Amino acid sequence: MRRVMLLVAYDGTNYCGWQVQPNGRTIEGELNLALSELFGREIAVTGASRTDAGVHSYGNVAVFDVDTRMPAEKISYALNQRLPEDIVVQLSKEVAANFHPRHQKSKKTYEYRVLNREFRDPNRRIDTYFYYRNLNIEAMQRAAEYLVGEHDFKSFCSIKAQVETTVRKIYTLTIERQGDIIVIRIAGNGFLYNMVRIIAGTLLQVGSGERKPEEMSGILEALDREMAGPTAPACGLTMIGIEFE
Amino acid sequence: MRRVMLLVAYDGTNYCGWQVQPNGRTIEGELNLALSELFGREIAVTGASRTDAGVHSYGNVAVFDVDTRMPAEKISYALNQRLPEDIVVQLSKEVAANFHPRHQKSKKTYEYRVLNREFRDPNRRIDTYFYYRNLNIEAMQRAAEYLVGEHDFKSFCSIKAQVETTVRKIYTLTIERQGDIIVIRIAGNGFLYNMVRIIAGTLLQVGSGERKPEEMSGILEALDREMAGPTAPACGLTMIGIEFE
């Protein structure tokens, strides 16, 4: 048995998220199906980031065990021939037999992309959230500074989440305008349920002038989901990549 | 009666091109339908660029005549509520009653976008053509120089075209790498049927080393479609915009 790691890119628009569900197509489900077909026996992957319905990925990570002579590097090509066009494996390689993508310490990076212009652009609708109001990038950047570091992010976590601790560490959080797209890029040691989307929703409130950057410290201290802004739509969120220690 | 101009963006993936057809959905058809619904009588637009099936647009131009009290600037908003999500009017404004988008002299700009990396990227599949072989940008740029200026582009025109003259003028033709996307940007006083896609297909042959840049002058002189490269796929082509004199 060898453990193989996959780097998986997907357009999440037409999926009910990563995790296998009784009803509806999922990224994990499609990978399991293609792998089981390829190797002629049931195979199930373990994913690093169980992204939500509609969320995209550039570099999510999954592992599985298999007994095969096929070189690990070739599996990506064979798999892509069996996957739908909105899921594309970017890399496959052998890893240590005890490598687990969720138990390993890691740095995860996400991007929330806002298409900030007067009208929608049909050619950029896959992985952006359209927002037509003017945004003050500098105010968003000042607000973002409050979130960098180790904090209890309970205010930025869906109340549906069941976790032992809501303390997480954000390494970097930058806001940059690239033409008419505003990229909110966030790297941390882990993210709570909906955390990046709630941060994006709150930063959009600051950018549009509904809230002041200084309010961020009060929101953090409150440890209350009601205090933060709305959960920004899934379509703007992309899992960029994961670095393992 | 007032003449109104529309700036129209669309993802052409799911359309049989611009022009109304007996079978299949078209951009022109969808615009006519939405306008006729909006104004309660049959309206038909005249387009500047009758793009092919699968070709995208950022700024194609259409005009129509209407007798309405609605301010011309508001028509875009009303129209977008009736259009599918892959067609978005970016601007509407009144123009002179004798303005005709195809008879007026103009400068048209197109982009052909090549996603040049080892694996497909599902989030950028709408308006790029995936090409995994290494491309020599500098060779492509040297080849492009042969095409700039006024030439008979018969070699770069589909044999299906029926036109009086195959002489056209290219103002600029640039090739630029933006990350892993190679952008071929071309501006001219008009383009023959499939001309941009045949130029892109030929430049890709040069970039991949199949052909030398110097061959371009011989291809031009031959006045023979067989001498140029293949017609690059429609998905990579976007009509960027039109400037009228």
Side-chain angles (χ1 to χ4, degrees):
Chain A
M1 275 299 201
R2 297 149 65 200
R3 183 155 288 191
V4 176
M5 190 202 88
L6 304 174
L7 209 60
V8 192
Y10 45 88
D11 163 13
T13 309
N14 299 312
Y15 294 92
C16 307
W18 174 272
Q19 208 163 3
V20 166
Q21 296 208 351
N23 306 308
R25 294 170 68 212
T26 65
I27 312 295
E28 187 182 34
E30 296 294 320
L31 286 170
N32 291 350
L33 200 68
L35 281 166
S36 303
E37 247 180 55
L38 178 60
F39 293 112
R41 63 171 202 81
E42 208 138 307
I43 289 183
V45 299
T46 302
S49 191
R50 286 166 290 187
T51 55
D52 258 1
V55 173
H56 317 288
S57 164
Y58 189 77
N60 204 347
V61 167
V63 299
F64 64 95
D65 294 322
V66 70
D67 185 14
T68 178
R69 284 195 209 164
M70 190 187 292
E73 290 70 27
K74 300 280 181 205
I75 293 174
S76 55
Y77 298 93
L79 212 47
N80 284 335
Q81 290 180 340
R82 287 169 171 81
L83 285 167
E85 66 161 5
D86 45 10
I87 304 177
V88 183
V89 174
Q90 305 287 309
L91 180 88
S92 55
K93 67 170 185 183
E94 194 166 344
V95 289
N98 63 350
F99 174 86
H100 189 292
R102 281 203 302 280
H103 301 161
Q104 220 90 5
K105 277 196 179 175
S106 66
K107 173 178 151 184
K108 289 182 181 170
T109 302
Y110 281 89
E111 269 184 15
Y112 196 91
R113 294 157 58 86
V114 180
L115 183 63
N116 189 223
R117 62 203 301 274
E118 192 178 357
F119 290 97
R120 291 172 193 278
D121 180 348
N123 291 305
R124 290 184 290 172
R125 69 187 195 283
I126 289 185
D127 60 352
T128 60
Y129 165 52
F130 171 69
Y131 189 87
Y132 71 93
R133 293 174 68 182
N134 271 339
L135 288 170
N136 181 339
I137 304 297
E138 202 255 324
M140 293 170 76
Q141 286 165 336
R142 277 192 289 135
E145 282 169 25
Y146 289 90
L147 301 177
V148 176
E150 190 166 87
H151 300 285
D152 187 334
F153 285 99
K154 198 171 178 203
S155 296
F156 294 92
C157 176
S158 164
I159 50 162
K160 283 182 273 177
Q162 294 173 328
V163 280
E164 283 172 37
T165 167
T166 45
V167 173
R168 295 290 185 279
K169 191 169 183 174
I170 294 182
Y171 302 122
T172 55
L173 173 48
T174 59
I175 294 111
E176 193 191 10
R177 184 181 280 280
Q178 297 176 355
D180 49 16
I181 290 182
I182 286 155
V183 180
I184 301 171
R185 195 180 173 97
I186 185 165
N189 64 354
F191 293 96
L192 300 162
Y193 188 46
N194 280 352
M195 181 169 154
V196 181
R197 287 166 60 189
I198 299 169
I199 289 177
T202 311
L203 290 176
L204 285 173
Q205 287 186 323
V206 172
S208 65
E210 280 170 72
R211 276 184 139 151
K212 292 199 190 332
E214 299 76 45
E215 290 180 49
M216 298 303 274
S217 67
I219 299 172
L220 267 176
E221 281 162 24
L223 303 177
D224 176 3
R225 170 67 189 93
E226 296 282 300
M227 294 292 284
T231 307
C235 59
L237 185 61
T238 302
M239 147 45 57
I240 297 295
I242 310 170
E243 288 171 49
F244 296 97
E245 271 189 11
Chain B
M1 274 300 201
R2 296 149 67 201
R3 186 155 286 189
V4 176
M5 191 202 89
L6 304 173
L7 209 61
V8 193
Y10 45 86
D11 163 12
T13 309
N14 299 311
Y15 294 93
C16 306
W18 174 274
Q19 208 163 3
V20 166
Q21 296 208 351
N23 307 307
R25 292 169 70 214
T26 65
I27 313 296
E28 188 182 34
E30 296 293 320
L31 286 171
N32 290 349
L33 200 68
L35 281 166
S36 303
E37 246 179 56
L38 178 59
F39 293 112
R41 61 172 203 83
E42 208 139 305
I43 289 183
V45 300
T46 302
S49 191
R50 286 165 292 187
T51 55
D52 257 1
V55 173
H56 316 289
S57 164
Y58 188 77
N60 204 346
V61 167
V63 300
F64 64 95
D65 294 321
V66 70
D67 185 14
T68 179
R69 285 195 207 163
M70 190 187 291
E73 290 69 28
K74 300 281 182 205
I75 293 174
S76 55
Y77 298 93
L79 212 47
N80 284 335
Q81 290 181 341
R82 286 168 171 82
L83 285 167
E85 66 162 5
D86 45 11
I87 304 177
V88 183
V89 174
Q90 305 287 309
L91 179 88
S92 55
K93 67 170 184 185
E94 195 167 342
V95 288
N98 64 349
F99 175 87
H100 188 293
R102 281 206 300 280
H103 301 162
Q104 220 87 5
K105 278 197 177 175
S106 67
K107 174 178 151 184
K108 290 181 180 170
T109 303
Y110 281 87
E111 269 184 17
Y112 196 90
R113 293 156 59 85
V114 180
L115 184 64
N116 189 224
R117 61 205 301 275
E118 193 179 356
F119 291 98
R120 291 172 193 278
D121 180 349
N123 291 305
R124 290 184 291 173
R125 70 187 193 281
I126 288 184
D127 59 353
T128 60
Y129 165 52
F130 171 69
Y131 189 87
Y132 71 92
R133 293 174 68 180
N134 270 339
L135 288 170
N136 181 339
I137 305 295
E138 202 256 323
M140 293 171 76
Q141 286 165 337
R142 275 191 291 134
E145 282 169 24
Y146 289 89
L147 301 177
V148 176
E150 189 166 88
H151 300 285
D152 188 333
F153 285 99
K154 198 171 177 201
S155 296
F156 295 91
C157 176
S158 164
I159 50 159
K160 283 182 273 175
Q162 293 173 327
V163 280
E164 283 172 36
T165 168
T166 45
V167 174
R168 294 290 184 279
K169 191 170 184 175
I170 293 182
Y171 302 121
T172 55
L173 174 46
T174 58
I175 295 111
E176 192 192 10
R177 185 180 280 279
Q178 298 176 355
D180 48 17
I181 289 182
I182 286 154
V183 180
I184 301 171
R185 193 178 174 98
I186 185 164
N189 64 355
F191 293 97
L192 300 162
Y193 187 45
N194 280 352
M195 180 170 154
V196 180
R197 289 166 57 188
I198 298 170
I199 289 177
T202 311
L203 290 176
L204 285 173
Q205 287 186 323
V206 172
S208 65
E210 280 170 73
R211 274 185 141 150
K212 292 201 190 337
E214 300 75 45
E215 289 180 51
M216 297 303 273
S217 68
I219 299 171
L220 266 176
E221 281 162 24
L223 303 177
D224 177 2
R225 170 66 189 91
E226 296 283 300
M227 294 293 284
T231 306
C235 60
L237 184 61
T238 302
M239 146 47 55
I240 297 296
I242 308 170
E243 288 171 49
F244 296 96
E245 272 190 8

